[in-house]
């Protein structure tokens, strides 16, 4: 796929419906990092272990992954607008219930319901923004990544500010903000055209039969394990107050937003998407390894710096997932997210377990290895693509045809 080029369209000149959806997306992504600075406070308040509290991420992303098989099925039948509103309503309900939890088990269960609502909203929001944005899909992807970065940056900050008084307040705050998003989308977003063909529950899985999309998803699976080890396990390692932890992850989120929107596109244009992705994954592996074995100050610096590499990766992966296969974008996105979110569910669960089995450094060693594995998938695709290119340039008999092997687009 070609590097992002917004052409004559401007990311800022968008219809109200796009801004309403993007604004609600910011809050949706806030919900991912919201609990980061208050994880130790939740553990203390509910008399839970780090491993038990980490299940807040695991239940959330496990349900999110499974729900990816449902989102296209639902939206192709009731429409994008109603799907967004259904997702928002579920988030409002379960985020509010999360704040009333009396045990870690209740909170984990409510986060699972929250994950279902977020899956319905986030997967549909990207398709809605792409469909309604001015300036084409490139401008839409930039806007979506901007919302992701801003939400990731603001989530820990909001969690710290509200969580300093009580760990319950960030959940109530998210419910209130999502209710505002519900009102805005109701007011400004008209119903989007429904696809000519209704999506079945298995369509996202079938889409993964395309080699390029499958390779993207597998590489993203390994990358997401690294990503969410940083996001879910590092707060326990840093062991800071909600304010300090919130400040660290706010800086992390700012770098994520800046590098995903401003830095990644020119890098792709100059070096190519696959080269940028492979290099960024290797650098992320080094960063995570230093984070795990360095002192406290080093861990803080590496945590913040990881946001830059994660921002670059997010943009490249999103582009590849949407453009590499011939499946409809919502279906391709659902299949891709179905695979990668399982890693986001696994990392918060296994990282504390690995620490119990070994020491505090080992979870970061595993995370570094998974980043390298993601890079190796990219390397295999690069080698395969060059082999196909060389083969295509050789004279062929008249009856010869291309073998149709799917690889990453560049």
């Amino acid at each position: 796929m070609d590097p992002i080029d917004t052409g004559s369209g401007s990311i800022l000149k968008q219809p109200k419906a796009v801004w309403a959806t993007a604004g609600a997306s910011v809050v949706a992504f806030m919900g991912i990092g919201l609990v980061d600075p208050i994880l130790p406070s939740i553990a203390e308040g509910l008399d839970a272990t780090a491993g038990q509290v980490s299940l807040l991420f695991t239940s959330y992303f496990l349900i999110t992954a499974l729900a990816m098989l449902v989102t296209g099925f639902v939206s192709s039948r009731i429409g994008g607008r109603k799907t967004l509103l259904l997702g928002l309503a579920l988030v409002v309900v379960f985020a509010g219930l999360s704040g009333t939890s009396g045990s870690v088990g209740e909170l984990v269960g409510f986060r699972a319901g929250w994950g279902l609502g977020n899956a319905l909203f986030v997967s549909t929001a990207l398709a809605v923004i792409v469909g309604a944005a001015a300036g084409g899909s490139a401008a839409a992807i930039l806007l979506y990544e901007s919302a992701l970065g801003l939400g990731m940056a603001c989530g820990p900050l909001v969690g710290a500010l509200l969580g300093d008084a009580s760990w319950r307040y960030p959940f109530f705050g998210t419910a209130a903000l999502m209710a505002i998003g519900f009102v805005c989308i109701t007011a400004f977003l008209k119903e989007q055209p429904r696809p000519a063909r209704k999506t079945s529950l298995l369509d996202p899985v079938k889409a993964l039969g395309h080699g390029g999309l499958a390779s993207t998803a597998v590489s993203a699976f390994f990358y997401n394990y690294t990503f969410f080890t940083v996001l879910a396990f590092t707060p326990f390692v840093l062991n800071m107050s909600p304010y300090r932890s919130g400040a660290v992850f706010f800086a992390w989120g700012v770098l994520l937003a800046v590098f995903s929107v401003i830095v990644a596109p020119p890098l792709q244009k100059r070096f190519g998407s696959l080269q940028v992705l492979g290099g960024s994954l290797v650098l992320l592996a080094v960063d995570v390894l230093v984070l795990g074995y360095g002192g406290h100050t080093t861990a803080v610096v590496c945590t913040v710096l990881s946001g830059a590499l994660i921002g670059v990766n997010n943009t490249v992966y999103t582009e590849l997932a949407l453009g590499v296969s011939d499946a409809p974008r919502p279906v391709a996105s659902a299949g891709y997210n179905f695979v990668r979110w399982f890693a986001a569910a696994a990392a918060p669960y296994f990282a504390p377990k690995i620490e119990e089995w070994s020491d505090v450094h080992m979870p970061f060693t595993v995370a570094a290895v998974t980043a390298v594995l993601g890079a190796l998938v990219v390397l295999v695709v690069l080698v395969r693509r060059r082999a196909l290119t060389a083969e295509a340039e050789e004279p062929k008999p008249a009856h010869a045809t291309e073998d149709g092997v799917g690889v990453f687009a560049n």
Side-chain angles (χ1 to χ4, degrees), residues 2 10 58 103 127 132 142 193 198 232 321 360 390:
D2 292 332
S10 170
T58 298
S103 68
L142 276 179
K198 293 181 179 179
V360 73

Side-chain angles (χ1 to χ4, degrees), residues 91-136:
V91 172
V92 170
V93 170
F94 283 104
L97 288 173
S98 294
T100 68
S101 301
S103 68
V104 69
E106 284 185 8
L107 184 53
V108 168
F110 292 144
R111 279 283 285 182
W114 186 343
L116 173 60
N118 217 48
L120 288 169
F121 176 82
V122 170
S123 62
T124 309
L126 178 56
V128 168
I129 290 174
V130 169

